[in-house]
Amino acid sequence: NAGVMQNPRHLVRRRGQEARLRCSPMKGHSHVYWYRQLPEEGLKFMVYLQKENIIDESGMPKERFSAEFPKEGPSILRIQQVVRGDSAAYFCASSPGQGLPEQYFGPGTRLTVT
Amino acid sequence: SQKIEQNSEALNIQEGKTATLTCNYTNYSPAYLQWYRQDPGRGPVFLLLIRENEKEKRKERLKVTFDTTLKQSLFHITASQPADSATYLCARGGDNAGNMLTFGGGTRLMVKP
């Protein structure tokens, strides 16, 4: 059973460009979470999605950030007009739901904004 | 807001000894606490989950406790090995229906041979 897949693993963008981060959850998992880990800081929750629905985006910055989890395909975290402060590791986690709260993390995407 | 605090200083122990890491939380007890291991440049790996009504959970050389009076969880690794060297993260969950996790800053464990 393949684990959570994220791509790309490393992404370099210039200020003002767009970044698209992809996450494929574990097979059978319908709940996806995105977390951000800034250098020397802990993991911070960003958004929680189920198929075709954003359930909680309380951790998302109000502007430039959006997320989706379409019926088909991976979940996407999109950052528009990136700034240097967006440089971080972005982790996706999935869980099966149904009263099973364990979350399984992907390897992360390391975004560097130059 | 709910907070999770872990000792940010690195813990250095000798191989074969028991490592004990501490996680403290504020306000009300979470429905559960989860412990993860994170190696440099990698994603967190789930280790153990303990629910509020459980005092102790074990898995091989790992043991986790949940003390709602002290508002604390302890994470033990017995017979530690150099391969156990990593950062260990504590997270609280179940504070809302979404089950998103609030993480502590992690404690770095170094096991010396």
Side-chain angles (χ1 to χ4, degrees):
Chain A
N1 188 8
V4 177
M5 312 268 285
Q6 288 188 252
N7 66 78
R9 293 292 308 277
H10 300 275
L11 182 61
V12 180
R13 285 287 178 265
R14 282 200 282 266
R15 278 180 297 170
Q17 291 186 316
E18 178 180 288
R20 279 186 180 238
L21 288 61
R22 294 175 191 76
C23 168
S24 295
M26 286 180 72
K27 189 175 180 180
H29 287 193
S30 58
H31 298 235
V32 166
Y33 303 80
W34 285 92
Y35 294 85
R36 177 165 66 173
Q37 190 169 40
L38 292 164
E40 306 304 321
E41 290 191 22
L43 281 157
K44 295 284 194 292
F45 165 76
M46 298 182 76
V47 62
Y48 162 47
L49 310 102
Q50 295 181 21
K51 280 288 186 183
E52 300 185 275
N53 286 305
I54 297 174
I55 308 301
D56 188 325
E57 55 183 347
S58 58
M60 287 272 270
K62 293 284 185 280
E63 298 175 352
R64 303 187 296 108
F65 284 72
S66 62
E68 62 177 14
F69 189 14
K71 188 177 179 182
E72 302 289 340
S75 175
I76 307 282
L77 179 68
R78 182 179 176 210
I79 311 172
Q80 294 178 292
Q81 299 175 328
V82 295
V83 300
R84 287 226 173 101
D86 296 333
S87 295
Y90 292 82
F91 292 98
C92 167
S94 73
S95 79
Q98 301 157 350
L100 299 171
E102 297 91 350
Q103 294 184 19
Y104 296 88
F105 282 77
T109 294
R110 274 146 192 86
L111 172 66
T112 302
V113 179
T114 62
Chain B
S1 63
Q2 313 309 326
K3 289 188 179 177
I4 287 279
E5 293 173 350
Q6 295 182 257
N7 191 345
S8 59
E9 291 184 19
L11 177 63
N12 296 296
I13 65 167
Q14 205 66 36
E15 182 177 7
K17 301 291 185 185
T18 296
T20 298
L21 285 66
T22 304
C23 173
N24 295 294
Y25 60 87
T26 62
N27 298 324
Y28 57 85
S29 291
Y32 53 84
L33 290 162
Q34 299 192 30
W35 283 87
Y36 290 81
R37 169 185 173 140
Q38 187 174 26
D39 291 282
R42 294 178 173 261
V45 174
F46 172 76
L47 297 174
L48 279 170
L49 178 148
I50 185 165
R51 296 183 186 275
E52 185 184 11
N53 61 353
E54 298 173 318
K55 290 208 180 308
E56 183 180 296
K57 207 92 171 270
R58 290 175 185 261
K59 178 182 174 183
E60 298 172 354
R61 294 185 297 113
L62 308 180
K63 184 177 88 171
V64 173
T65 62
F66 195 157
D67 189 325
T68 56
T69 301
L70 294 178
K71 296 189 176 183
Q72 184 179 83
S73 175
L74 297 179
F75 176 80
H76 305 272
I77 306 176
T78 58
S80 59
Q81 305 164 1
D84 294 327
S85 298
T87 295
Y88 290 86
L89 306 172
C90 173
R92 65 178 288 157
D95 290 320
N96 48 50
N99 286 326
M100 63 281 294
L101 298 174
T102 300
F103 281 87
T107 298
R108 183 172 164 83
L109 172 67
M110 297 284 293
V111 181
K112 297 180 179 178

